[in-house]
Amino acid sequence: MNIKSVGIAAGILLASASAFAQSSTVNGAAGGAVTGAIVGGPAGAAIGGVAGAVIGTAIDPPPQKVVTYVQQAPAPNRVVVKQKVVVGEPLPETVVVTPVPDDPKYAYAVVNDQRVIVEPSSRKVIQIVQ
């Protein structure tokens, strides 16, 4: 019965990953371990710690100056792709990303009429700008 409870708790933690996307790996692991320990004892702490660490590895949101730049920058070539643009997923190779001049840690593109901020080396979408 305890293992089933731990599994449910881990599932809830993983399902709520987007809510905890701004956590760091350390905070995610610690929070997951505490939640797991409450639900399932020592085994729950181990499973919760791993789940929390996975959630905590999400890329931190870009600083406001980067978001403002992307909102106001001239639109690069607009691209239409078949798949939906999703935070955490890489953009297709056909999409050209433009570096943010003052912060090379970020780049952006306009895909399916949405401005997106990406991590340049992995091309993962960090944020969809509204």
Side-chain angles (χ1 to χ4, degrees):
M1 189 68 171
N2 258 349
I3 300 220
K4 188 174 184 180
S5 296
V6 171
I8 291 170
I12 290 169
L13 284 171
L14 291 173
S16 62
S18 62
F20 297 111
Q22 294 181 9
S23 299
S24 69
T25 303
V26 173
N27 290 339
V34 169
T35 303
I38 291 169
V39 174
I47 293 170
V50 171
V54 169
I55 292 167
T57 59
I59 299 172
D60 290 331
Q64 186 57 46
K65 70 177 188 167
V66 170
V67 175
T68 301
Y69 176 83
V70 171
Q71 288 171 327
Q72 298 173 353
N77 295 335
R78 296 169 192 257
V79 178
V80 177
V81 296
K82 292 181 182 179
Q83 65 265 31
K84 183 177 178 182
V85 176
V86 178
V87 172
E89 294 295 320
L91 291 176
E93 291 296 324
T94 57
V95 177
V96 176
V97 297
T98 304
V100 173
D102 291 339
D103 201 335
K105 186 175 164 183
Y106 302 98
Y108 71 101
V110 178
V111 183
N112 297 345
D113 291 323
Q114 296 178 304
R115 288 178 182 253
V116 297
I117 300 172
V118 301
E119 193 279 318
S121 62
S122 68
R123 305 175 58 83
K124 281 187 183 177
V125 176
I126 298 170
Q127 183 174 343
I128 299 172
V129 180
Q130 302 300 327

